[in-house]
Amino acid sequence: MSEISAPTTSTLKIPQAPDKLQHPMTDFLRTERLPHIWCSTCGIGTVITAFIAGLQKSGLDRNKVSVVSGIGCSGRAAGYLRLDSFHSTHGRAVPFATGLALGNPELKVVVISGDGDIAAIGGNHFIHAARRNMNLTIICINNFNYAMTGGQAGPTTPEEANASTAPFGAYEFPFNLPYLAESSGAVYVARWTALHIRRTTKSIAEALLKPGFSFIEVVSPCPTLYARRNRLGSGLDLMRFYHNSAKIQHGADTRDIDIDYQKEIVVGKFIDKEKPDFYTNRDQFLSKKLGDKYIPYRGPNGH
Amino acid sequence: MKADPIGVATGSHYIDGDHACAEGAIAAGCRFLAGYPITPSTEVAERMAERFPKVGGMFIQMEDELASMAAVVGAAWAGPKSMTVTSGPGFSLMMENLGLAIMMETPCVVVNVQRGGPSTGLPTLTGQADMMQARWGSHGDYEIIAISPNSPQECFDLTVKAFNLSEKYRVPVLFMMDECVGHMTEKVVIPEADKIDIVPRNFYKGKKEDYRPYKFNGDNSVGPMIKAGDGYNIHITGLTHDERGYPVINADAQDKNVNHLVDKIIKNEEDIRMIETDQIDDAEVIVISYGITSRVALKAVQDARAAGMKVGIMRLITVWPFPEKLIKKLSSKVKAFIVPEINLGQVSIEVERCAAGKATTIGVPHAGGWVHDPNDILKAIKKGVK
Amino acid sequence: MNYWRVPLDINKIEIPHGDVQIDVEQCKGCEFCVEYCPRDVLELSTDFNRKGYHYPNVLKHNACVNCTLCEMICPEFAIFVVEGKPINPDVNDVLKKEAKV
């Protein structure tokens, strides 16, 4: 931790949290790495809190849960979680996680990454993992821009929004991520904002327990770049905006839930359907075809 | 440790190099392959797709080579020995996550059945022009192990060795075949499982709080691994990191991390080195070659010997790390090195660097599509002995 | 909450209570907790922490009902709630509120 000496003004008093009490999530955090790198009023930390709460709620064995991140602000998520955590390359969190999940079917593998990582450079991997109904939970933190590199336009930047590579406003048509996930084959699709912490937590717990490919988009404030460039105030102002503009509509047709610039954001759980997950499907198919000759893959502990 | 008999197809086979490579991988204990079809390497993936369900392996055809390589690194951290297989254009796509495997010190094997390039080049014809890409293809400083077989039998034997080296040094091993060796059909003898030596993954067994995924203490060795799901709650990153695996973004950490990646290979070059030499004791000229070209070179050397020229032959089975010390030593004894290869001069540059003007280096370039005419190599030998 | 008359089971009612704990040095002053606390327990301090952020202070300790919303919404893991001893509503308070109505 960097040493910053406190100003020596006499009026400064620094109250301390009582020693014996610990944040209930301490056990899930690499506290030695805190404070994290995310800006003040950024929502990523809130999503991480919801993830830990969702994981606790799911009742899964935390030692059998792995987190994979890509690159970018959200890509740093893995580095703060005291789980088996992997910080892979830009866009490759999903295929890395696919390898991890296939390498040991006992694991629950979660990808926590950003909109650029998952939907732009990793877009092809994302749709194919969904197509396979791969045993993955994807939490995509959508802040509408590439924040780590300075606020460039991305695959979800709404039309009209300003970005450093769209200085006159973005004019490309953005992805509607829940629609993309659903049409690619995801069995669980939800969208929330960083303000909907309890509902995000519930969705994460549900997704973790759902076999196959589950996808949760969490719209999150980026104060330093997206909000600043678009004169939207701080992250708190964006949270207020979500408060006023998010409309909960469970089961909404994902075709109708595009996010337009500073307009209504439809949130909710859109898809929760049954379809054989990759492992189950592969096992059943191959044992049908090969009979006794089939030796199922049981992971590194299996043989 | 000996091979698991369940995967070993003991017996005498008449198969090509690609299939032999697949059998070698299974014998070595590989149980995960992620790949993408590309000529002339597809047969390896095809054989694995057919064999894996019967030996308890996991095959997946990914959406591209970027994903294949990323999945291999992910799978390796879940525990199984993992590999991917590709050719030139796919090898280019794999460079990104090959770097990740190097940085994360992840054992795995990447097979590249080389074809003519650049770009789509000659999809069905041979080449050896990815040798420098194998050495330098991913960004940043690193050292790698690259093995070049020259027969289907070696495709079996050396694939096993490739896995063993990757486990020993926690590094991706590049298995640099070429189209000729990949599609050449010969007798391949697969021994009984108890005759095949396997290096199992070195898993950590100590206390959780003492575990460090990396060892940067300067002794050029690698520490044990763990696998995801064992309760160690490790963090592994492609960022510059410390021994705990935590990102540290400064020059000091970079110095420790990168020097370790380089030194663990370079300082162990003699241990890794696999080289075949013949008649070099009295040689005035040594022909240095690898892969399919070594078989053509042999003919040229035999012809030259028959004509009374003092020629030796050296075959690089491990091309990287380069046998720098050995070439330096030999350069003061011989007049010239002849380096035929199916590219316009890649390994010959390394030879020239090591010879450092003490001996002449004569390259015998070939742009690819076919092997050398032995007479071209013979002509170079004649030039060398003068 | 306002009652039209004093509930018969007023003595049995227990209102959950939480003790808000603030790790001042972790705080980056986003104000999420202050803004969204449903009981307005928190206020932003006028003091700065070492990083120069205003951190939350507990303004109305007794008002906290241990809903943990501050804990959940905090992006910094800097605030959490410890379950406290439930509070029995004071009959006089209830009546006072009734009188207002």
Side-chain angles (χ1 to χ4, degrees):
Chain A
M1 205 184 288
S2 59
E3 286 298 318
I4 299 164
S5 52
T8 48
T9 346
S10 58
T11 55
L12 187 82
K13 58 172 191 218
I14 303 169
Q16 298 292 333
D19 285 343
K20 282 174 195 165
L21 296 172
Q22 269 193 339
H23 193 287
M25 289 174 180
T26 303
D27 198 31
F28 286 85
L29 293 165
R30 298 186 192 275
T31 42
E32 64 274 33
R33 297 203 60 217
L34 295 176
H36 52 60
I37 61 163
W38 300 310
C39 307
S40 168
T41 78
C42 167
I44 299 173
T46 302
V47 183
I48 300 308
T49 310
F51 169 71
I52 297 173
L55 176 57
Q56 286 171 323
K57 198 171 167 169
S58 75
L60 290 174
D61 175 1
R62 53 99 54 91
N63 288 332
K64 297 292 175 196
V65 176
S66 288
V67 174
V68 182
S69 286
I71 297 294
C73 291
S74 313
R76 291 302 187 100
Y80 299 114
L81 288 164
R82 195 175 289 289
L83 299 166
D84 286 329
S85 54
F86 299 90
H87 183 211
S88 67
T89 42
H90 195 22
R92 317 300 165 219
V94 172
F96 188 102
T98 298
L100 201 59
L102 291 179
N104 184 355
E106 283 176 18
L107 298 178
K108 176 75 217 181
V109 184
V110 185
V111 172
I112 304 178
S113 219
D115 48 309
D117 194 74
I118 284 173
I121 186 166
N124 194 32
H125 310 310
F126 175 69
I127 59 172
H128 282 276
R131 172 181 65 77
R132 297 182 181 108
N133 202 16
M134 187 52 67
N135 300 57
L136 297 175
T137 295
I138 314 284
I139 299 169
C140 177
I141 302 173
N142 179 3
N143 59 11
F144 302 117
N145 74 143
Y146 288 94
M148 181 72 90
T149 46
Q152 293 78 25
T156 56
T157 310
E159 279 180 84
E160 294 292 335
N162 185 290
S164 71
T165 49
F168 312 109
Y171 46 78
E172 289 184 14
F173 309 112
F175 264 139
N176 166 351
L177 295 176
Y179 180 34
L180 180 68
E182 186 202 351
S183 49
S184 303
V187 291
Y188 185 101
V189 180
R191 176 198 278 158
W192 298 107
T193 76
L195 183 68
H196 296 86
I197 38 171
R198 304 242 187 244
R199 293 171 194 272
T200 307
T201 301
K202 186 169 175 244
S203 263
I204 289 172
E206 285 177 359
L208 288 174
L209 295 172
K210 181 98 188 166
F213 189 89
S214 47
F215 175 73
I216 300 166
E217 174 186 8
V218 189
V219 175
S220 167
C222 170
T224 309
L225 292 148
Y226 185 76
R228 182 176 57 82
R229 290 195 73 90
N230 287 289
R231 298 189 164 79
L232 300 173
S234 69
L236 180 61
D237 291 313
L238 279 178
M239 291 289 249
R240 287 176 182 137
F241 167 72
Y242 303 154
H243 188 264
N244 297 329
S245 316
K247 192 171 107 188
I248 299 176
Q249 213 180 319
H250 292 298
D253 188 330
T254 57
R255 286 173 297 185
D256 304 332
I257 57 167
D258 280 291
I259 298 178
D260 292 326
Y261 181 63
Q262 291 302 93
K263 297 270 169 56
E264 180 182 86
I265 301 173
V266 177
V267 296
K269 179 167 85 174
F270 307 125
I271 304 291
D272 190 351
K273 64 181 179 191
E274 303 306 317
K275 193 167 91 177
D277 62 283
F278 182 89
Y279 299 143
T280 314
N281 196 38
R282 177 183 185 271
D283 256 5
Q284 285 174 353
F285 186 87
L286 289 175
S287 46
K288 200 169 75 193
K289 293 281 176 186
L290 295 175
D292 293 346
K293 283 184 189 157
Y294 177 52
I295 302 180
Y297 178 79
R298 289 289 175 251
N301 306 320
H303 59 264
Chain B
M1 188 181 157
K2 300 296 175 185
D4 180 355
I6 203 169
V8 183
T10 305
S12 214
H13 304 264
Y14 187 62
I15 52 177
D16 70 15
D18 282 354
H19 288 84
C21 170
E23 288 303 330
I26 297 169
C30 172
R31 289 295 180 271
F32 182 90
L33 184 138
Y36 185 82
I38 186 165
T39 306
S41 73
T42 314
E43 291 89 334
V44 182
E46 284 170 346
R47 186 149 181 129
M48 295 295 246
E50 146 80 31
R51 290 270 282 133
F52 261 177
K54 298 168 193 165
V55 299
M58 175 64 82
F59 167 84
I60 185 164
Q61 184 173 316
M62 295 299 284
E63 52 276 12
D64 57 31
E65 287 89 347
L66 298 160
S68 302
M69 190 64 218
V72 163
V73 185
W77 279 100
K81 290 187 179 178
S82 310
M83 78 183 292
T84 184
V85 52
T86 192
S87 296
F91 197 53
S92 292
L93 290 185
M94 285 179 183
M95 286 302 138
E96 178 195 45
N97 293 297
L98 180 71
L100 182 71
I102 290 162
M103 197 58 157
M104 290 182 167
E105 299 192 50
T106 309
C108 57
V109 171
V110 178
V111 178
N112 176 6
V113 186
Q114 296 174 83
R115 64 192 221 185
S119 187
T120 316
L122 300 170
T124 58
L125 300 177
T126 198
Q128 292 182 316
D130 303 347
M131 296 314 295
M132 276 297 178
Q133 186 183 19
R135 174 65 189 83
W136 299 107
S138 199
H139 57 277
D141 276 317
Y142 60 88
E143 285 287 338
I144 197 107
I145 299 176
I147 296 177
S148 190
N150 80 349
S151 68
Q153 181 66 51
E154 279 200 350
C155 287
F156 177 88
D157 298 338
L158 294 177
T159 301
V160 177
K161 287 241 166 76
F163 275 97
N164 290 349
L165 284 170
S166 80
E167 295 297 338
K168 187 169 180 187
Y169 293 102
R170 277 183 63 177
V171 70
V173 173
L174 305 179
F175 200 64
M176 303 296 286
M177 294 164 60
D178 50 68
E179 186 274 336
C180 278
V181 169
H183 285 164
M184 172 192 291
T185 302
E186 285 183 345
K187 182 176 165 184
V188 173
V189 179
I190 299 180
E192 278 149 12
D194 60 9
K195 303 265 171 13
I196 301 172
D197 288 318
I198 298 296
V199 176
R201 183 150 309 162
N202 179 14
F203 283 119
Y204 177 77
K205 290 172 194 78
K207 275 199 271 176
K208 178 178 169 175
E209 52 276 21
D210 296 339
Y211 181 66
R212 297 284 178 272
Y214 301 103
K215 207 170 109 184
F216 299 153
N217 61 2
D219 74 355
N220 310 320
S221 70
V222 295
M225 283 182 78
I226 61 97
K227 52 186 186 294
D230 281 356
Y232 287 91
N233 302 150
I234 41 160
H235 182 59
I236 303 295
T237 176
L239 287 167
T240 296
H241 46 261
D242 60 18
E243 291 192 334
R244 296 173 301 171
Y246 288 8
V248 186
I249 310 300
N250 63 41
D252 187 45
Q254 172 77 353
D255 182 62
K256 281 203 187 89
N257 192 348
V258 177
N259 275 304
H260 168 73
L261 297 179
V262 169
D263 287 348
K264 73 175 180 179
I265 304 298
I266 280 292
K267 300 275 167 72
N268 291 305
E269 187 267 309
E270 281 173 60
D271 178 60
I272 298 165
R273 186 195 294 169
M274 285 187 278
I275 276 178
E276 232 176 50
T277 53
D278 191 28
Q279 307 185 83
I280 60 167
D281 294 342
D282 66 335
E284 292 179 335
V285 165
I286 295 175
V287 179
I288 300 176
S289 60
Y290 52 93
I292 189 63
T293 309
S294 64
R295 294 174 72 150
V296 184
L298 186 63
K299 163 78 176 142
V301 169
Q302 283 165 352
D303 290 352
R305 276 274 167 183
M309 288 177 260
K310 287 183 175 170
V311 192
I313 189 161
M314 174 187 285
R315 176 159 81 94
L316 306 179
I317 299 171
T318 49
V319 178
W320 310 120
F322 196 71
E324 190 171 328
K325 281 186 214 154
L326 183 67
I327 303 284
K328 274 184 178 156
K329 208 168 91 188
L330 288 171
S331 62
S332 53
K333 292 184 186 164
V334 298
K335 286 185 190 167
F337 294 111
I338 314 296
V339 191
E341 49 187 338
I342 310 177
N343 58 53
L344 300 186
Q346 295 190 8
V347 169
S348 67
I349 297 173
E350 272 298 276
V351 175
E352 194 167 19
R353 177 179 71 82
C354 297
K358 286 187 206 153
T360 320
T361 303
I362 304 171
V364 189
H366 189 309
W370 194 226
V371 294
H372 288 79
D373 180 341
N375 286 322
D376 292 340
I377 303 173
L378 188 61
K379 270 183 223 159
I381 295 172
K382 282 178 184 161
K383 217 164 107 187
V385 289
K386 262 182 209 163
Chain C
M1 196 184 290
N2 297 335
Y3 294 99
W4 292 104
R5 56 188 173 77
V6 181
L8 293 173
D9 58 351
I10 186 83
N11 296 325
K12 290 177 193 161
I13 289 173
E14 287 190 336
I15 301 169
H17 176 60
D19 267 332
V20 180
Q21 308 291 328
I22 299 160
D23 187 346
V24 169
E25 291 314 319
Q26 289 283 349
C27 178
K28 288 183 192 157
C30 71
E31 288 184 66
F32 290 178
C33 54
V34 178
E35 173 90 6
Y36 290 104
C37 172
R39 303 279 291 165
D40 295 326
V41 171
L42 303 164
E43 63 165 359
L44 208 62
S45 72
T46 48
D47 287 336
F48 299 96
N49 68 7
R50 280 201 208 190
K51 287 186 293 238
Y53 293 111
H54 295 293
Y55 51 88
N57 271 336
V58 177
L59 179 68
K60 296 190 276 182
H61 176 258
N62 284 341
C64 177
V65 293
N66 195 29
C67 76
T68 70
L69 190 136
C70 54
E71 182 182 312
M72 290 297 298
I73 207 165
C74 175
E76 305 292 335
F77 317 101
I79 187 166
F80 59 100
V81 191
V82 177
E83 194 175 354
K85 203 170 155 248
I87 294 172
N88 297 106
D90 189 327
V91 178
N92 293 324
D93 278 356
V94 175
L95 288 175
K96 253 184 252 165
K97 279 180 186 164
E98 191 182 3
K100 271 183 214 161
V101 175

